[in-house]
Amino acid sequence: MSSQTEHPTLLIPGPIEFDDAVLGSMSHFSQSHVGPPFVATFGETLTMLRKLLQSSNPASQPFIISGSGTLGWDLVAANLAERGDEVLVLHTGYFADSFADCFETYGVKATQLKAPIGDRPQLPDIEKALKEKKYKLLTVTHVDTSTGVLSEIKALSELVHRVSPETLVIVDGVCSVGCEEICFDEWKLDAVLTASQKAIGCPPGLSISMYSGRAMEVFKSRKTPPSSYFASFKNWLPIMQNYEAKKPSYFATPPTQLINALHTALTQILSGSLNERFAAHREASKRIKDTVTSYGLKQLATKPENQANGMTAMYLPNEIKAPEILPNILKRGVIFAGGLHKEIAAKYIRFGHMGVSVTDPKRDDIQKALNVLKEGLNDVGYKAGR
Amino acid sequence: MSSQTEHPTLLIPGPIEFDDAVLGSMSHFSQSHVGPPFVATFGETLTMLRKLLQSSNPASQPFIISGSGTLGWDLVAANLAERGDEVLVLHTGYFADSFADCFETYGVKATQLKAPIGDRPQLPDIEKALKEKKYKLLTVTHVDTSTGVLSEIKALSELVHRVSPETLVIVDGVCSVGCEEICFDEWKLDAVLTASQKAIGCPPGLSISMYSGRAMEVFKSRKTPPSSYFASFKNWLPIMQNYEAKKPSYFATPPTQLINALHTALTQILSGSLNERFAAHREASKRIKDTVTSYGLKQLATKPENQANGMTAMYLPNEIKAPEILPNILKRGVIFAGGLHKEIAAKYIRFGHMGVSVTDPKRDDIQKALNVLKEGLNDVGYKAGR
C-alpha cells in the first residue's frame, strides 16, 4: 500500500506518479552540499546516469543541474553552438519549435524539417537536407510530449554519421529516458537531454543530460566563450567531474533533496533489467493503444512505428472537446492532460503511462484509467467501443 | 520533537536546518503542474513573496524559477542589461566577483568597487564612482556569504536615487532575504534576488526574485532581445502573471514539490511578524558574536554595523586551520562551513544562524553550536575564552 495521501492518479506525460521511497527521499534532512555524505550521493547519481543511458565510455560526461528540462536546450545552444552556426531541427511537435526558438535566442540559425502532425520527418528527406547544407548539430525529439510521436534514433544517428559525420546528434529525451531504449555509446549519440519528472520517476526540478567525448571536444574548441553563465559548461564541468570523483566543489548550491530522490529513483531502476523495463513500457503501451482504438479513438501518431511507448495522444470524437471530458475523468479519480499542439489543442487528450504506473505490480493505475476513460466518454454521450 | 532522522545540526550559511512541515511538503504526492490545486499553490506563493519583501506595489513582479541562486544573476544580466552596458558591482566578497563574471559573459562591462576583506565600499566612494560614469545598474550583495559582510541597502539606495536616478538598484539577497530587513517599495529597490535554502528555510532548487515596475519597464524597452532562453523574462513573465492570477500556463515544468515546500515556509514566516523575525535574528547574532569574541575569535566583518545577522565568519587562531577544527566540530554533532574567500580560505570558518535554528524555541541549535565550538577549539589545543 502506498503511504501517500489519497489523491487522483496522475497519468499525464509528466510529472508522473512517484514511488513512496522516492518521495521519502525528497524530505531528507538537510545536508551540506559540500559534505562527504551528499558528495557521495551526488557522485553515485552521476555514475548511475551513465548506466541508465548505457554508456561506459569514460569520455562521456553527465550533468545534473538545478532547473527544468527546458534548461537542457540552453546547455546545447550556449555550449555546443556558436553565433552564426547552422543547426537542423527535426520537428515532430511543439518541442521542436521551442528548441529552435532557444537556438535563435543564442544567434544560432535553426532550420526546421517538419512532418505533418502525427508523423515524423523521413530518413530520405533528412539525408537530402544534410547534403544540402553543413549543419553543426542535428536535433531530434525522441518523444514529442505534445503529440506522442516517437522518433527512430538509431537509424537516424547512423544516417547522420554516414552522410554528415561532423554533425553532432542531439537527442531531446525528456519524455523518453527511462522508458524508451537508448544506447548512448552504441548509437554514437552526442547528447541526450532529459528531466527528472517523466520516466525516471523523480519530482521535477532537475535538468539531466549526457554528452559524448566528441561533443565535449566541440565545446573545448569553441572560438567564443559560452554565451550563458548559469548554463555554461565552463562553470559546470569541473563541478560534475569533482563530484563524480567524490570531491566537493562549488559553483551553485545543488538541490540536495532532489538529488537524493534521483539517487533513489535510479537505484530502483538499475536494480532491475533495463531491457525488461523498456519491454514493460512497450507492453503497457500496446495494451492502452489497442484498448483506446477499440473505444473508437484515433491516435495523433499515425503509424505503429512512430507511436511512443510512455504516452498516448488521442483525438477525441468530433463532438467532444477536451475541457468537457477531462473534468469528467478527474471526477472518477484520474488526471489526463489536454492537448498542447496549438493548432488542435482542444481536439485531443494525452495519457501518460510511464514509471511506477507501468512497472509496479501493486498498482492498478492503467486498468483504472482505461475504465475511467470509457465511463467518461459514455457519460458525455459517446458510446465508447460500440 | 522533530520527526527527522537524527543527524548533525547543519549550521552553515545555507542550506540550513528545515522545519518538519516544510520537509513534509517536499514529499507531496504528484500533482499536475497545470491543475487547479497546484496552480493555486504556486499563485499564493508568488503573492506571499510580495509580502516577504514588503512590497504592495502591483507593478512589482515576483519570479520563482527552478534553479539555484546563481540563476538570479543571469536573470539580471540577460534581461536588464544589454551588450555594451556598464554596471557598477559593489564588492564585499566572493559573490561580487561571480556576479561580475556573469555580466561579462553577457557582454556587459562590470566595474567592481572593492573594499578590503571584511569591509564594504563606503558611500562617499560609491557617490564618486556614480558621478564619474553613467551605470545602467548598480549591484550590491546584501550579505556576502563568503565573508559575512552586511551592506547598508537603505542608505545606498537613497544615494543612488539622488546621484544617479536612472541607475537600477539590484540587491543580491541570497543570504539576507528572510533574516535581514528589506523594504522593497519603501527603499525603492529595483531587484532583489534570492534562493530558497537560506533564511527562507526551504530546500535548495529555487531561484526567487522580485523586480520593480521600473525594472520591468527597462526590460520592456530593450533594444535587443534577452540573450538567454531559460533565463528570459520574455518566457517567464506571462507564466508568473498567469499563475498569480490562478491561470495555468506553460513554459517549463515548475518544481512542484519545492514550490509546495516554499508555500509552507512562507506561510510559516508570514504567520508571525516580520519585524520580530528580523529582531530574533539580530539578537541571536549578537549573542553568537559576543560569545565567539569572548572565545578570542575575530570576525572577518570588521565593524558591528557591517556584520550580517544570519551568519558569522570568524578567523581561527593562527595555529589552527579549518580542515583541522571542522571534523572535530562535526564529531560533536555540528556542521560549520569552511572559508570560501580564496585568499584566506583555510584561515576562517563560517557559522550560519538562520531560520528555525534561531526562531524555533524547541530547538537548542545555537547554544549547542557555541558549546561545541568551544570544546572543539580546546580539543585542538586552543584555550577558548581564557
Side-chain angles (χ1 to χ4, degrees), chain A residues 71-285:
Chain A
L71 178 62
W73 296 334
D74 287 70
L75 292 176
V76 170
N79 293 292
L80 300 184
E82 301 191 52
R83 190 164 285 276
D85 279 347
E86 300 263 0
V87 301
L88 183 64
V89 174
L90 305 187
H91 185 286
T92 50
Y94 175 93
F95 291 91
D97 291 324
S98 305
F99 203 168
D101 192 13
C102 177
F103 280 120
E104 298 286 343
T105 301
Y106 286 96
V108 177
K109 186 160 173 16
T111 301
Q112 290 206 52
L113 190 61
K114 297 203 178 192
I117 291 175
D119 209 342
R120 60 190 183 196
Q122 300 299 301
L123 293 180
D125 298 324
I126 300 167
E127 178 163 354
K128 185 160 166 279
L130 287 172
K131 284 176 172 167
E132 279 170 4
K133 193 184 279 184
K134 179 150 181 174
Y135 292 102
K136 178 88 163 277
L137 318 170
L138 170 143
T139 79
V140 56
T141 316
H142 196 174
V143 170
D144 197 293
T145 317
S146 74
T147 57
V149 169
L150 175 73
S151 295
E152 47 182 341
I153 304 301
K154 188 183 177 189
L156 172 66
S157 186
E158 281 169 4
L159 169 70
V160 179
H161 281 274
R162 178 169 58 77
V163 175
S164 182
E166 287 178 27
T167 302
L168 298 181
V169 180
I170 311 294
V171 179
D172 179 338
V174 167
C175 197
S176 74
V177 172
C179 67
E180 304 282 359
E181 184 179 35
I182 300 180
C183 303
F184 190 85
D185 291 358
E186 191 190 324
W187 296 356
K188 295 186 182 172
L189 307 180
D190 292 300
V192 172
L193 323 172
T194 192
S196 43
Q197 77 276 7
K198 304 214 180 196
I200 291 176
C202 170
L206 294 173
S207 162
I208 298 170
S209 51
M210 177 81 87
Y211 299 85
S212 68
R214 191 168 83 127
M216 295 312 294
E217 286 307 315
V218 166
F219 162 69
K220 285 171 189 164
S221 60
R222 289 179 66 89
K223 293 186 195 73
T224 56
S227 41
S228 164
Y229 187 74
F230 188 66
S232 169
F233 283 175
K234 185 160 70 86
N235 293 324
W236 287 114
L237 179 59
I239 307 301
M240 297 300 144
Q241 290 178 333
N242 283 336
Y243 269 100
E244 202 173 1
K246 308 287 166 72
K247 288 185 278 192
S249 196
Y250 179 75
F251 165 61
T253 305
T256 43
Q257 277 71 9
L258 274 165
I259 286 169
N260 270 290
L262 179 61
H263 186 277
T264 302
L266 290 178
T267 302
Q268 288 181 347
I269 291 174
L270 295 171
S271 71
S273 144
L274 280 178
N275 285 336
E276 283 173 21
R277 182 178 179 86
F278 301 143
H281 281 87
R282 282 195 299 271
E283 284 156 27
S285 183

Side-chain angles (χ1 to χ4, degrees), chain B residues 5 8 41 68-69 77 101 106 158 185 204 207 221 249-250 256 332 378:
Chain B
T5 309
T41 300
S68 78
D101 192 14
Y106 286 95
E158 281 170 3
D185 290 359
S207 162
S221 59
S249 196
Y250 179 73
T256 43
R332 298 166 194 277
N378 288 341

Side-chain angles (χ1 to χ4, degrees), chain A residues 53-69:
Chain A
L53 292 174
Q54 309 196 57
S55 175
S56 59
N57 186 336
S60 301
Q61 183 56 53
F63 288 80
I64 301 173
I65 301 177
S66 181
S68 77

Side-chain angles (χ1 to χ4, degrees), chain A residues 16 23 27 30 66-67 74 230 252, chain B residues 16 23 27 30 66-68 74 230:
Chain A
I16 67 170
L23 279 185
S27 55
S30 197
S66 181
D74 287 70
F230 188 66
Chain B
I16 67 169
L23 279 184
S27 54
S30 197
S66 183
S68 78
D74 286 70
F230 188 66

Side-chain angles (χ1 to χ4, degrees), chain B residues 198-212:
Chain B
K198 304 212 180 198
I200 291 175
C202 170
L206 294 173
S207 162
I208 298 170
S209 50
M210 177 82 87
Y211 299 86
S212 68

